[in-house]
C-alpha cells in the first residue's frame, strides 16, 4: 500500500506541476493577446487548449523521461551538420546573404546521415562511418550507384552544372541535408540562406521598414547569390516551397539570364500562385476567416516579439505536434530525429520574421513566369498530403513545363525532402543527368 500511495502522490505532484506550467504558458500568450487585440485572443484560446493537452501528456510521461528523450534526439544528429566553403553575397539593400559551396572531390563526412537511415529511424556516426553515410544518399543503391550515374552523365571533359538549392519559409539551407549528402563530393553545389533566415543577416529593408518582403525581392536575392557563387557555367536550380517561388521570381525578372545559364530546374513542394485559396486542412467555414485574420495577427504578434518568443520557448511542446502535422504527411513513420530536426529549424525563425514574410504569399503569382523554364529539363515533386502547398499546385506547374517529370508522393507532406529523401534524391540525380546532357548539347551547338 505504501508503494501505491507513493506512486499516487508522485502522479498528483506531476499533474499539479504540469497544470501550473500550462497555466504559465497560457499567461504568456494571453499577455501577447492583450496587445494583439481580438486576433490575439484567438491565439490565447488555441494555446489554452494545447496547454491542456500538454498537461495531460506531462501527467503520463515523466519530466525526466521527456528531457532525456529530447536531449537524445538533439544529440542523435548529425542532421544539418554538413558544412562547406562559406561565402556571402550582398543584396540590393545591403543585406548580407550567406552561402556555402561544396566542390567536386571535397571529402564527404561531417557525420552525414543516409536517406535510408532516415527512413528506418537509424543514425550514422561521426568519422569514417559518417563520411561513408554522407555519400550514401540512395539507400540500398549506395554511394557508388550515385557516383557512377553522375560521373557517367557528366563526362570527364564536360562542364558540369552547379546545383543551387533554395530553401523554404521558416527553414534554412540545412533543410537540404539529405540531398546535400547525396551529391556531396560528386557535383558542385551551392546552399544559401534566404534573408532573415539561417546564417544570413536580417533584411536591412525590413529592419528600417522601407522595403517589405516580396517574392520578387527574394528572386533578386537569388540573382545576387548566383553572381557571387556561380559566376560562370551551367546551373541547375532547386527550390522548395518559398525557395521554389524564389526560383520563379528569378525567371520573371531575369529571363535572359535563365535562358543563357540555367540548364535544369526542380520545384519541390511549391506553388505558382493562388495560395490565398489554400485551406491548410481547416474546415471550409474557417478558411476565409483564417486568411483574413492571419496577416494582422502575425503583425500584432511580431510587434510583441519579446513576449511571444518567451511564450514560444515556454510552450515548445505545444507546437511539436502542430509542426509534425504541417511538415509530414505520415508523421508516425518519420524518424523522431528528423521530426525534431524540423522542429529546430522552424523554432529558429523569430516571430517577427514569420510576420514579415507571410503577406508575400497571398499576392504571389508567377504562373506566367514559368515560360522561362518550358524548354528546360524540369522536375516537379509534391507530397500528396501537403497541407501548405497542395499537390494540385504542383500539377498545375507541371502542366506549364513540357519537359517536366512530375512525382506526387503518396503519404508525404510539405517537407517531402526530409520525409522521403530517397525518392527525392533519386529524382534529383535523374534531373542532373538530363541537365548535363542539355548542357553538352548547348555547348556543342555553340562550338
Amino acid at each position: 500500500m505504501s508503494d501505491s500511495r507513493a506512486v499516487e502522490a508522485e502522479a498528483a505532484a506531476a499533474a499539479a506541476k504540469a497544470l501550473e506550467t500550462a497555466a504559465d504558458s497560457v499567461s504568456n500568450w494571453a499577455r501577447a493577446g492583450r496587445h494583439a487585440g481580438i486576433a490575439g485572443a484567438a491565439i490565447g484560446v488555441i494555446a489554452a487548449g494545447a496547454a491542456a493537452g500538454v498537461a495531460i501528456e506531462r501527467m503520463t510521461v515523466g519530466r525526466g523521461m521527456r528531457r532525456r528523450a529530447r536531449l537524445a534526439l538533439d544529440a542523435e544528429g548529425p542532421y544539418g551538420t554538413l558544412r562547406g566553403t562559406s561565402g556571402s553575397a550582398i543584396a540590393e539593400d545591403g543585406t548580407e546573404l550567406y552561402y556555402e559551396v561544396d566542390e567536386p572531390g571535397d571529402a564527404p563526412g561531417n557525420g552525414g546521415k543516409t536517406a535510408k537511415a532516415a527512413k528506418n529511424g537509424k543514425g550514422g556516426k561521426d568519422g569514417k562511418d559518417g563520411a561513408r553515410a554522407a555519400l550514401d544518399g540512395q539507400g540500398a543503391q549506395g554511394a557508388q550507384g550515385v557516383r557512377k550515374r553522375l560521373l557517367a552523365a557528366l563526362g570527364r571533359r564536360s562542364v558540369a552544372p552547379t546545383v543551387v538549392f533554395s530553401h523554404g519559409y521558416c527553414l534554412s539551407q540545412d533543410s537540404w541535408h539529405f540531398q546535400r549528402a547525396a551529391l556531396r563530393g560528386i557535383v558542385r553545389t551551392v546552399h544559401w540562406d534566404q534573408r532573415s533566415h539561417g546564417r544570413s543577416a536580417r533584411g536591412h529593408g525590413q529592419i528600417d521598414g522601407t522595403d517589405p518582403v516580396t517574392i520578387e525581392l527574394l528572386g533578386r536575392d537569388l540573382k545576387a547569390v548566383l553572381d557571387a557563387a556561380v559566376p560562370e557555367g551551367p546551373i541547375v536550380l532547386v527550390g522548395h516551397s518559398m525557395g521554389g517561388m524564389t526560383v520563379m521570381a528569378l525567371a520573371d525578372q531575369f529571363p535572359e539570364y535563365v535562358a543563357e545559364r540555367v540548364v535544369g530546374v526542380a520545384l519541390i513542394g511549391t506553388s505558382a500562385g493562388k495560395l490565398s485559396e489554400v485551406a491548410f486542412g481547416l474546415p471550409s467555414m474557417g478558411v476565409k476567416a483564417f486568411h483574413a485574420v492571419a496577416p494582422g495577427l502575425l503583425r500584432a504578434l511580431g510587434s510583441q516579439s519579446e513576449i511571444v518568443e518567451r511564450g514560444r520557448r515556454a510552450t515548445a511542446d505545444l507546437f511539436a505536434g502542430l509542426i509534425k502535422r504541417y511538415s509530414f504527411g505520415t508523421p508516425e513513420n518519420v524518424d523522431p530525429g528528423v521530426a525534431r530536426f524540423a522542429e529546430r529549424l522552424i523554432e529558429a525563425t523569430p516571430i517577427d520574421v514569420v510576420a514579415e514574410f507571410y503577406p508575400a504569399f497571398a499576392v504571389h503569382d508567377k504562373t506566367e513566369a514559368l515560360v522561362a523554364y518550358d524548354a528546360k529539363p524540369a522536375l516537379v515533386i509534391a507530397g500528396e498530403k501537403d497541407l501548405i502547398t497542395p499537390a494540385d499546385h504542383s500539377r498545375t506547374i507541371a502542366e506549364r513545363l513540357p519537359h517536366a517529370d512530375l512525382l506526387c508522393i503518396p503519404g508525404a507532406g510539405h517537407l517531402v525532402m526530409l520525409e522521403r529523401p530517397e525518392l527525392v534524391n533519386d529524382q534529383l540525380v535523374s534531373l542532373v543527368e538530363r541537365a548535363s546532357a542539355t548542357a553538352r548539347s548547348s555547348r556543342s551547338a555553340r562550338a
Side-chain angles (χ1 to χ4, degrees), residues 28-201:
N28 282 328
W29 284 102
R31 192 176 301 114
R34 284 195 295 272
H35 292 279
I38 295 175
I43 282 291
V45 172
I46 295 171
V54 170
I56 293 172
E57 177 188 350
R58 291 180 176 179
M59 290 168 61
T60 57
V61 180
R63 177 182 177 185
M65 182 180 296
R66 286 186 292 103
R67 181 175 181 274
R68 287 193 297 273
R70 186 178 293 274
L71 289 174
L73 291 177
D74 287 344
E76 180 182 316
Y79 301 117
T81 60
L82 298 176
R83 300 269 67 89
T85 302
S86 62
S88 61
I90 305 301
E92 62 186 36
D93 63 354
T95 301
E96 185 174 358
L97 304 170
Y98 178 87
Y99 65 81
E100 292 181 359
V101 179
D102 290 345
E103 297 287 355
D106 280 354
N110 296 330
K113 270 195 174 182
T114 69
K116 185 180 180 182
K119 185 179 179 182
N120 295 337
K122 298 178 181 179
K125 297 180 180 179
D126 291 334
K128 292 182 179 179
D129 289 343
R132 191 177 302 114
L135 282 172
D136 189 10
Q138 293 299 297
Q141 290 186 13
Q144 292 304 316
V146 175
R147 183 177 295 278
K148 287 179 180 179
R149 284 179 63 186
L150 286 177
L151 290 179
L154 298 176
R156 294 184 178 181
R157 297 183 179 181
S158 65
V159 177
T162 296
V163 185
V164 180
F165 290 85
S166 299
H167 69 79
Y169 181 47
C170 298
L171 299 172
S172 76
Q173 63 173 270
D174 292 342
S175 62
W176 296 109
H177 176 85
F178 295 115
Q179 292 66 49
R180 187 171 190 169
L183 300 180
R184 194 169 174 83
I186 305 173
V187 297
R188 187 173 191 265
T189 59
V190 175
H191 305 261
W192 70 291
D193 290 326
Q194 302 256 20
R195 64 173 54 226
S196 302
H197 289 69
R199 295 171 178 82
S200 285

Side-chain angles (χ1 to χ4, degrees), residues 21-22 24-26 28-29 54 58 308-319:
T21 303
D24 289 343
S25 300
V26 174
N28 282 328
W29 284 102
V54 170
R58 291 180 176 179
V308 174
E309 292 300 340
R310 285 203 301 270
R312 288 177 75 182
R313 289 191 295 271
T315 60
D317 288 346
L318 303 183
F319 296 97

Side-chain angles (χ1 to χ4, degrees), residues 408-426:
C408 294
I409 302 176
H414 190 60
L415 299 188
V416 62
M417 70 285 190
L418 291 177
E419 187 171 9
R420 298 301 302 274
E422 75 289 348
L423 293 180
V424 174
N425 292 352
D426 183 70

